[in-house]
Every structure is written in structure tokens, then in C-alpha cells.
Amino acid sequence: MSNHQKRLSVPNSWPVERKTNTFTVKADAGPHGEAGVPLLIVLRDVLGYVDSRKEARYALNEDNVLINGKVIADEERPVGMFDILAFDERDEYYRVFPGQGGRLALTAIDADSAESKLGKIVNKTDVAGGDTQLTLHDGETLVVEDASDYSGRDSIVVANEGDEIVAHFEFEAGALVTAVDGAHAGDIGTIEEIQVTPGSSQNNVIVSQDDGDGFETIAEYVVVIDENFTSDDGDEADVTAGGDDE
């Protein structure tokens, strides 16, 4: 199987230029499905820490690159929405966040914020023993004894060590959200109203903004977030990407 991906057909979330070269690296199997961006692209095209796949492999072999608290050695490992990237030697930490136009961007955070990550609940399943399995947007699963407080589209914050749920944000009017897809991807605001649509059509949400006109989108496109997501120190990493494949 080829390790290459045509640039023109990559998902819109990938921070790569589509017309500079024909191919780019292909994401390995893993979290986030097809929307996952290979770690190599983040290291090379977004952050500029390496110039080639060979340099990326060398850097990863030093065990100084972590995603969600785990050391990563595979340069094709998919990186996606709300993942936490830590570079121990540099003392640098980033959260993957939806940027304008749906492209994934990196937001600098502090070391404390890097100790946990946010996940959107997309499914609840009863498992043996009376427990419930929560499935998050990136495919991660957690088993909880009592899931009565958790609903689909709620968000939880999970500690990197021990998978402990350290915070829970309900999908409801008044919740702070960000749009992760659609025309308003990257916009942040507060849910003013959830419009339940009869039948199989998507529910809509109306979102208000203190410094904007607000927007309306489908419920699937928004994720409940913590106010800390809008107040972390640091700037968003430049997502204008180029680079060669190798």
C-alpha cells in the first residue's frame, strides 16, 4: 500500500497547500478517521521543526514528542481535533483546535492545560457488568459505572494519566461552543437556542457572540468547550503549509 496521498484530495482540515506538489504523506490508521493529519505534516509543514521524513523519524526516536501524554514514534500517526501535543525538550505545548475554514490549527497552552484533553461524546453503549461505554469524537472509549449524567454531544475533559474524567460540560442553552465544521468552523460563541427538528433532519443551534453577529449551524457541527479554551496564553500556529513529501 502506498504511503503517499494526493494533495488535491486531502480533507479540508489538513493544513497543507494543495498545488505546491502532487503528493504528501498518508495518515496511518488511528484516531480521528480520515480527518486525522499525519504527525509529519504538523512537525514539518506547520511547526517547521523538521525538513524531511528522515529528520522527523530521528526526532521521534528521542522520545520527546507526546500526544495526549503518550510518547509517539510513528510520524504517520494521525493528529486531530483537541489532541494535545507536548514537546518536552522545548517545553512547548499545543492544543489542536479548529481554525477558520475548518483547517486544524495549533494553539499554544501551558503545561497544566496539557495534562488533559477534551472529548465530545458521540455514543453511549451498555457493556457487561452494568457499566456504560462512552465513545468520543476521536474514537477513544471510556467505561463509566454511572452514565446517567452524560448525554450525546456533551463534552468531557479526560486526564492523560488514568483516563479520569476531570470535567463535564453539557450540551445545552448557555454552553460555550466552537464550530468545528461548516461555514462557521473556528467561530466561538454561546448556545442561545437548540432547535429540535422533527423526523430525521439535523437539529439546529443558534449561537450568539459578544463580539460578532452570531451564527446558526447544525448541532453536529458544534462542540461544547471550556472558557479556558479562549484564554490560554500563546498564539495560534501558522497553518500555511508547504513542504515536500520526503
Side-chain angles (χ1 to χ4, degrees):
M1 183 178 293
S2 172
N3 288 328
H4 295 76
Q5 161 78 50
K6 284 192 174 181
R7 285 176 177 262
L8 287 175
S9 62
V10 300
N12 291 333
S13 60
W14 286 33
V16 297
E17 292 295 339
R18 284 160 170 74
K19 297 182 180 180
T20 54
N21 295 283
T22 302
F23 294 99
T24 187
V25 65
K26 185 177 182 180
D28 204 351
H32 304 288
E34 294 181 355
V37 180
L39 179 57
L40 173 59
I41 289 178
V42 176
L43 296 176
R44 183 191 61 198
D45 301 319
V46 179
L47 294 172
Y49 288 169
V50 300
D51 293 324
S52 66
R53 182 193 292 264
K54 182 178 180 180
E55 288 185 12
R57 287 175 174 169
Y58 178 81
L60 294 174
N61 284 336
E62 297 298 308
D63 293 342
N64 291 315
V65 179
L66 290 79
I67 298 179
N68 304 329
K70 298 178 177 60
V71 174
I72 301 300
D74 179 8
E75 77 277 9
E76 296 181 2
R77 195 272 194 194
V79 178
M81 187 174 66
F82 303 127
D83 276 344
I84 301 296
L85 275 67
F87 301 91
D88 285 347
E89 267 194 354
R90 296 173 175 266
D91 196 26
E92 293 182 4
Y93 309 92
Y94 296 95
R95 176 185 291 116
V96 182
F97 203 73
Q100 295 296 326
R103 278 193 170 192
L104 296 179
L106 302 181
T107 300
I109 58 177
D110 59 30
D112 288 340
S113 297
E115 293 180 354
S116 59
K117 77 175 182 71
L118 182 138
K120 176 182 178 179
I121 299 174
V122 297
N123 193 28
K124 291 172 56 175
T125 307
D126 293 332
V127 295
D131 294 338
T132 302
Q133 178 178 279
L134 305 179
T135 302
L136 305 184
H137 70 279
D138 59 358
E140 181 181 358
T141 58
L142 297 170
V143 175
V144 295
E145 292 183 2
D146 182 5
S148 58
D149 290 336
Y150 303 107
S151 299
R153 297 198 178 99
D154 286 0
S155 292
I156 57 176
V157 178
V158 183
N160 292 335
E161 292 190 13
D163 291 338
E164 177 188 358
I165 297 176
V166 297
H168 172 213
F169 307 108
E170 295 185 42
F171 178 75
E172 61 184 0
L176 184 68
V177 296
T178 183
V180 298
D181 204 344
H184 300 285
D187 290 349
I188 294 175
T190 302
I191 295 180
E192 185 174 303
E193 181 183 355
I194 301 172
Q195 299 177 328
V196 178
T197 305
S200 59
S201 299
Q202 292 275 5
N203 294 338
N204 290 335
V205 292
I206 297 175
V207 179
S208 61
Q209 297 173 299
D210 292 336
D211 56 353
D213 298 329
F215 59 92
E216 181 176 346
T217 187
I218 62 175
E220 182 183 349
Y221 285 176
V222 298
V223 176
V224 185
I225 59 175
D226 182 2
E227 63 272 10
N228 292 332
F229 277 52
T230 63
S231 61
D232 283 320
D233 294 333
D235 297 323
E236 184 178 285
D238 184 3
V239 297
T240 302
D244 299 324
D245 179 59
E246 298 299 341

mmCIF file of all heavy atoms in Angstrom, residues 26 210 212:
data_model
loop_
_atom_site.group_PDB
_atom_site.id
_atom_site.type_symbol
_atom_site.label_atom_id
_atom_site.label_comp_id
_atom_site.label_asym_id
_atom_site.label_seq_id
_atom_site.Cartn_x
_atom_site.Cartn_y
_atom_site.Cartn_z
ATOM 1 N N LYS A 26 0.670 10.057 3.722
ATOM 2 C CA LYS A 26 -0.635 9.491 4.031
ATOM 3 C C LYS A 26 -0.727 9.185 5.517
ATOM 4 O O LYS A 26 0.224 8.690 6.128
ATOM 5 C CB LYS A 26 -0.835 8.210 3.222
ATOM 6 C CG LYS A 26 -2.200 7.570 3.355
ATOM 7 C CD LYS A 26 -2.298 6.350 2.451
ATOM 8 C CE LYS A 26 -3.658 5.697 2.520
ATOM 9 N NZ LYS A 26 -3.765 4.507 1.636
ATOM 10 N N ASP A 210 -20.456 37.772 21.724
ATOM 11 C CA ASP A 210 -20.320 39.107 22.307
ATOM 12 C C ASP A 210 -19.705 40.087 21.314
ATOM 13 O O ASP A 210 -20.016 41.276 21.332
ATOM 14 C CB ASP A 210 -19.456 39.048 23.571
ATOM 15 C CG ASP A 210 -20.154 38.297 24.701
ATOM 16 O OD1 ASP A 210 -21.398 38.232 24.684
ATOM 17 O OD2 ASP A 210 -19.448 37.778 25.588
ATOM 18 N N GLY A 212 -19.569 39.571 17.822
ATOM 19 C CA GLY A 212 -19.940 39.214 16.455
ATOM 20 C C GLY A 212 -21.446 39.150 16.291
ATOM 21 O O GLY A 212 -22.202 39.457 17.229
#
